[in-house]
Amino acid sequence: MTTLTAPGHAPAPAPAAPPRAASVFATFVGRSMLHTLRTPDALVMAIALPTMLMVLFTQVFGGAIAPGGGYVDYVVPGIILLCAGFGAASVAVDVATDMTTGVIDRFRTMPMRAETVITGHVVASLVRNLVATAIVIGVALLLGFRPSAGPIEWIGMGALVALYILAITWVFAAIGLAASNPEAANGYGFFLMFLPYVSSAFVPVDTMPEWLRWIAENQPLTPIIETIRGLLLGTDIGTSGWWALGWCVAFLAVGAVLTRVLFRAKAGRR
């Protein structure tokens, strides 16, 4: 059957197909990476601050903490987690900025899932922090860090660090959504940034007062640090590996669920 068209009227154009989910996801990851390149000071600080702390602890305090030498080998696993925390913390500020500048309202008018912007921030943070971790390990090698790990141990360490970065970044994304503005988001993350200092990152927990030792032994970062230390240096891991995986999965689940709930609650009210 032939379709008739009224004289002088062109047929209405077919509606544009919605963008593919993979294309939207790649666009938001690229957007977050572009923000990183446009704000190199944040990336430099995420790398420079842990590196400066590592130099401070090994070159200034290392002789007093470990007179026999070798302190750099002990402290590097903790510095790796410290570096991941500093890098992931910027996601809280980025998410809070998106929620307060009106850009989310614009994304919600487009034919796509606006929540993908949060996933873009998280994946970009994972890439940034893995690069920063590699740089920190490179500096540690220059300072005398001598791991005994083979290829399997290095892969295991990299996988655990990547899982930790992913988990902690989702938690910081939830903090960014819960905060009323970027300044508040920056402040709320302080508690998580403080955790490595009350763990086995810088000194053995058995040198701490008894009440503090119990906290250090049972807080989430200590088994993660001990697992990284065991993989890189061959120290006894014991049950720390299972605890490390458990804590990372728990952080990941809580952070992802909180982020989804908070995003729908806050973005839905606009």
Side-chain angles (χ1 to χ4, degrees):
M1 186 174 65
T2 303
T3 301
L4 298 178
T5 303
H9 293 277
R20 293 178 180 273
S23 175
V24 174
F25 175 71
T27 299
F28 279 117
V29 172
R31 171 179 178 265
S32 297
M33 294 301 295
L34 193 60
H35 283 179
T36 300
L37 296 176
R38 288 178 176 174
T39 55
D41 51 335
L43 181 61
V44 169
M45 284 304 297
I47 299 171
L49 197 52
T51 303
M52 289 170 61
L53 283 173
M54 180 167 59
V55 173
L56 180 69
F57 272 89
T58 58
Q59 305 301 308
V60 178
F61 303 140
I65 297 174
Y71 183 64
V72 65
D73 289 336
Y74 181 87
V75 81
V76 165
I79 294 293
I80 290 173
L81 288 201
L82 200 64
C83 176
F86 279 126
S90 64
V91 170
V93 178
D94 293 340
V95 170
T97 301
D98 279 349
M99 297 301 293
T100 54
T101 55
V103 69
I104 295 297
D105 296 332
R106 184 172 181 182
F107 291 149
R108 282 170 60 82
T109 65
M110 299 180 181
M112 62 183 189
R113 291 171 62 89
E115 296 160 88
T116 312
V117 66
I118 306 296
T119 310
H121 282 309
V122 171
V123 174
S125 168
L126 176 63
V127 175
R128 281 196 310 264
N129 283 301
L130 286 177
V131 173
T133 299
I135 294 174
V136 166
I137 292 175
V139 175
L141 291 171
L142 294 176
L143 291 174
F145 178 52
R146 295 295 179 263
S148 59
I152 301 298
E153 287 79 11
W154 276 105
I155 292 172
M157 186 279 295
L160 179 59
V161 170
L163 180 61
Y164 173 75
I165 292 171
L166 205 57
I168 199 72
T169 303
W170 275 112
V171 173
F172 275 114
I175 290 173
L177 287 167
S180 57
N181 54 60
E183 291 76 15
N186 194 30
Y188 291 160
F190 174 78
F191 177 74
L192 289 176
M193 303 297 294
F194 189 71
L195 278 179
Y197 298 100
V198 190
S199 71
S200 63
F202 299 104
V203 295
V205 295
D206 55 11
T207 63
M208 301 178 183
E210 190 172 348
W211 65 271
L212 189 58
R213 185 189 313 165
W214 185 90
I215 297 174
E217 287 176 340
N218 294 283
Q219 66 119 311
L221 296 196
T222 294
I224 301 175
I225 292 168
E226 290 303 320
T227 303
I228 295 174
R229 186 170 287 137
L231 289 170
L232 291 180
L233 301 170
T235 56
D236 182 33
I237 295 178
T239 60
S240 294
W242 295 111
W243 281 105
L245 286 175
W247 279 115
C248 287
V249 172
F251 273 133
L252 183 61
V254 171
V257 170
L258 274 179
T259 299
R260 187 177 181 85
V261 171
L262 289 170
F263 183 85
R264 291 191 172 187
K266 299 192 76 170
R269 290 201 298 264
R270 296 171 185 276

